[in-house]
């Protein structure tokens, strides 16, 4: 029996999905019979077989078509896409989507709706697949759904945005932020408005999804501390290199642990991190992604691969599609039972703090006094040779402390007469 698919969206990923399903798979198992787009006359960069697939502009043509069993949503956004996805599920159609923003924002509502629809045992159960929503071509969603059922996860951390990883790699080679951003835009890696990428919002949505999978906890995305890469400079990479490290934008969901027992509150956050060069996250280059999962049974397992791109992301969409077709897709999109773990996003880490200053006497003493006032213990002070006493930098690294303590410390430093700007600060991976 052939599963008829209605696809919403026909952009980069949609084109890849169409080509894989229609040209590479056995059409007797699945076929795309309708594609909904805004403009049916717009030229596409893939060939649509009009004898099999109808292009429509009204999504109800898909939602009200009883012959369509599965809706693939690759349009993006959280308004039109939300209405279409929710209507499809309510109408008894399974859904596969790559829309991380939609899932992160409406996570609980999606789970509730799937459960409500499937409560009617007289009807065929709907499935909800979202492998492509996190890390493009890396099957991290399916892995967390199925491979850790007898395990206890302590931490999930990952480089989940190819655009910023590409940019940071170029900056490590000496390029300036503005030049790298323009290059990323020219290559199509970054949008004209790059905020979602460079401010960390894209990673924030993805780590919220991974946290729900790993810990059974819904963390509202507006409560997740989120530091992007806009303040990172080549100076930071110079200091990182001197410490045998690099800098990566990392999403983290971790159980807090005072004595290594990993039984504390859950902290979820997004920030650049100082990463040792021998750490697995340091190996992700270019637009690549990497995810590390630390658990009781397996220790640290790593998953790397392409984080974006037409065929990498489309491959994950198609994998979910075939799991639905073959009835191997999990009945619950987030199989871990709801947990009573507390959420405390005032995370604990060692921190890197770069202070830009006008040289003078007593600066280090002042910084030390301010750190003591906030309960922050300084681990080391690093100083590159000063070539301009009117505009110099120094770096302070701290012992483990709370994010709120370092944030307050940096706000105090910024008010000092010697400070030229707000200090740049972000966590370090120091216990590897």
């Amino acid at each position: 029996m052939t599963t008829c698919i209605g696809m919403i969206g026909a952009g980069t990923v949609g084109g890849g999905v169409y080509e894989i399903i229609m040209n590479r798979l056995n059409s007797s198992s699945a076929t795309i019979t309708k594609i909904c787009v805004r403009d049916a006359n717009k030229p596409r960069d893939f060939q649509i077989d009009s004898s099999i697939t109808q292009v429509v502009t009204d999504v109800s043509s898909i939602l009200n078509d009883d012959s369509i069993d599965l809706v693939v949503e690759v349009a993006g956004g959280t308004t039109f896409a939300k209405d279409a996805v929710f209507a499809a599920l309510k109408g008894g159609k399974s859904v596969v989507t790559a829309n991380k923003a939609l899932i992160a924002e409406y996570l609980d509502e999606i789970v509730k709706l799937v459960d409500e629809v499937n409560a009617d045992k007289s009807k065929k159960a709907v499935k909800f697949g979202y492998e492509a929503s996190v890390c493009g071509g890396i099957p991290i969603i399916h892995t967390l759904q199925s491979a850790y059922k007898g395990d206890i996860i302590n931490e999930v951390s990952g480089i989940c945005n190819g655009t910023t990883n590409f940019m940071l790699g170029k900056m490590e080679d000496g390029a300036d932020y503005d030049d790298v951003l323009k290059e990323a835009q020219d290559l199509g890696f970054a949008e004209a408005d790059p905020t979602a990428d460079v401010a960390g919002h894209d990673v924030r949505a993805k780590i919220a999804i991974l946290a729900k999978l790993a810990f059974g906890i819904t963390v509202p995305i507006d409560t997740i501390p989120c530091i992007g890469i806009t303040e990172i400079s080549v100076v930071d990479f110079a200091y990182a290199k001197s410490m045998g490290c690099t800098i990566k934008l990392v999403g983290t969901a971790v159980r807090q642990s005072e004595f290594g027992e990993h039984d504390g509150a859950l902290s979820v956050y997004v920030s650049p991190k100082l990463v040792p060069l021998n750490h697995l996250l340091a190996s992700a280059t270019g637009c690549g992604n990497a995810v590390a999962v630390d658990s009781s049974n397996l220790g640290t397992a790593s998953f790397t691969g392409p984080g974006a791109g037409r065929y990498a992301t489309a491959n994950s969409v198609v994998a979910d599609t075939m799991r639905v077709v073959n009835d191997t897709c999990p009945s619950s999109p987030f199989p871990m039972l709801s947990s009573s773990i507390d959420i405390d996003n005032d995370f604990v880490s060692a921190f890197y703090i770069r202070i830009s200053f006008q040289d003078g006497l007593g600066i280090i003493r002042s910084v030390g006094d301010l750190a003591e006032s906030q309960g922050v213990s300084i681990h080391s002070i690093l100083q590159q040779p000063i070539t301009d006493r009117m505009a110099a930098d120094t770096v302070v690294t701290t012992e483990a402390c709370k994010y709120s303590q370092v944030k307050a410390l940096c706000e105090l430093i910024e008010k000092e007469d010697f400070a030229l700007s707000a200090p740049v600060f972000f966590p370090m991976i120091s216990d590897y």
Side-chain angles (χ1 to χ4, degrees):
M1 181 179 176
T2 302
T3 298
C4 293
I5 300 168
M7 188 167 72
I8 303 172
T12 299
V13 175
V17 171
Y18 189 86
E19 290 179 349
I20 294 172
I21 290 179
M22 302 300 285
N23 300 335
R24 300 184 194 173
L25 297 182
N26 185 349
S27 60
S28 64
S29 61
T31 187
I32 298 175
T33 57
K34 287 183 180 178
I35 299 176
C36 180
V37 297
R38 287 191 178 91
D39 182 0
N41 297 317
K42 179 182 177 180
R44 310 286 164 190
D45 61 357
F46 63 100
Q47 189 67 38
I48 298 174
D49 186 344
S50 59
S51 68
I52 300 175
T53 307
Q54 180 185 0
V55 177
V56 301
T57 57
D58 184 356
V59 72
S60 63
S61 176
I62 289 176
L63 299 175
N64 297 330
D65 188 337
D66 292 337
S67 71
I68 290 177
D69 310 295
L70 169 63
V71 172
V72 171
E73 185 275 309
V74 285
T78 58
T79 50
F80 166 76
K82 181 210 173 198
D83 294 340
V85 166
F86 277 53
L89 292 170
K90 289 176 182 177
K93 301 182 191 300
S94 293
V95 169
V96 170
T97 179
N99 195 332
K100 68 270 182 178
L102 172 67
I103 299 167
E105 188 168 343
Y106 297 102
L107 199 156
D108 284 342
E109 291 92 329
I110 291 170
V111 173
K112 181 180 178 182
L113 178 56
V114 170
D115 289 343
E116 287 176 349
V117 172
N118 290 341
D120 186 349
K121 300 303 180 182
S122 66
K123 296 180 180 179
K124 184 179 180 181
V126 297
K127 303 295 178 66
F128 184 81
Y130 56 102
E131 183 66 70
S133 66
V134 179
C135 293
I138 304 173
I140 188 62
I141 300 296
H142 187 62
T143 299
L144 290 174
Q145 286 174 328
S146 60
Y148 285 86
K149 289 187 176 180
D151 207 345
I152 299 172
I153 295 176
N154 303 319
E155 178 176 356
V156 178
S157 60
I159 298 166
C160 304
N161 183 275
T163 298
T164 50
N165 203 48
F166 168 83
M167 292 175 63
L168 290 172
K170 289 286 186 177
M171 291 171 68
E172 187 169 24
D173 292 337
D176 290 327
Y177 174 86
D178 290 339
D179 293 336
V180 170
L181 176 58
K182 184 179 185 305
E183 182 180 358
Q185 290 171 323
D186 291 343
L187 291 171
F189 297 155
E191 301 290 340
D193 179 359
T195 304
D197 291 325
V198 300
H201 300 163
D202 176 77
V203 178
R204 182 176 61 182
K206 292 171 180 176
I207 197 62
I209 294 170
L210 295 182
K212 177 68 171 179
L213 274 169
F215 301 101
I217 294 289
T218 300
V219 184
I221 56 175
D222 59 358
T223 68
I224 296 174
C226 189
I227 304 172
I229 68 166
T230 54
E231 301 304 317
I232 303 296
S233 78
V234 293
V235 174
D236 296 304
F237 280 102
Y239 279 107
K241 183 178 180 180
S242 71
M243 290 185 276
C245 295
T246 185
I247 300 169
K248 299 290 187 180
L249 181 65
V250 181
T252 304
V254 59
R255 291 291 299 272
Q256 293 187 14
S257 176
E258 187 173 357
F259 301 107
E261 70 284 1
H262 297 289
D263 63 352
L266 176 67
S267 293
V268 183
Y269 59 97
V270 177
S271 176
K273 277 191 175 182
L274 202 71
V275 180
L277 292 174
N278 62 345
H279 191 281
L280 62 94
L281 291 182
S283 65
T285 58
C287 292
N289 281 186
V291 179
V293 181
D294 179 77
S295 68
S296 295
N297 294 343
L298 299 181
T300 301
S302 62
F303 307 86
T304 60
R310 163 167 278 184
Y311 294 109
T313 307
N315 188 74
S316 291
V317 173
V318 173
D320 266 343
T321 298
M322 297 314 296
R323 278 191 278 267
V324 172
V325 170
N326 298 326
D327 200 27
T328 59
C329 186
S331 57
S332 173
F334 293 90
M336 178 170 284
L337 297 176
S338 295
S339 171
S340 59
I341 300 172
D342 291 332
I343 299 172
D344 181 3
N345 289 338
D346 190 11
F347 62 93
V348 174
S349 175
F351 284 85
Y352 165 103
I353 306 172
R354 174 170 57 83
I355 303 165
S356 297
F357 64 93
Q358 179 177 314
D359 197 18
L361 293 174
I363 293 175
I364 297 301
R365 184 183 68 246
S366 296
V367 171
D369 290 343
L370 294 175
E372 183 179 0
S373 75
Q374 298 306 307
V376 175
S377 178
I378 293 177
H379 176 77
S380 68
I381 298 171
L382 300 143
Q383 178 75 66
Q384 300 281 4
I386 294 177
T387 57
D388 182 354
R389 293 192 176 278
M390 300 304 291
D393 294 281
T394 191
V395 164
V396 171
T397 66
T398 76
E399 301 289 348
C401 58
K402 290 186 175 182
Y403 166 75
S404 60
Q405 292 175 285
V406 172
K407 187 172 183 290
L409 169 60
C410 290
E411 289 171 352
L412 291 175
I413 293 173
E414 184 182 5
K415 295 176 182 177
E416 293 292 308
D417 291 340
F418 60 77
L420 297 177
S421 59
V424 174
F425 70 97
F426 47 83
M428 306 166 57
I429 298 178
S430 58
D431 56 351
Y432 176 67

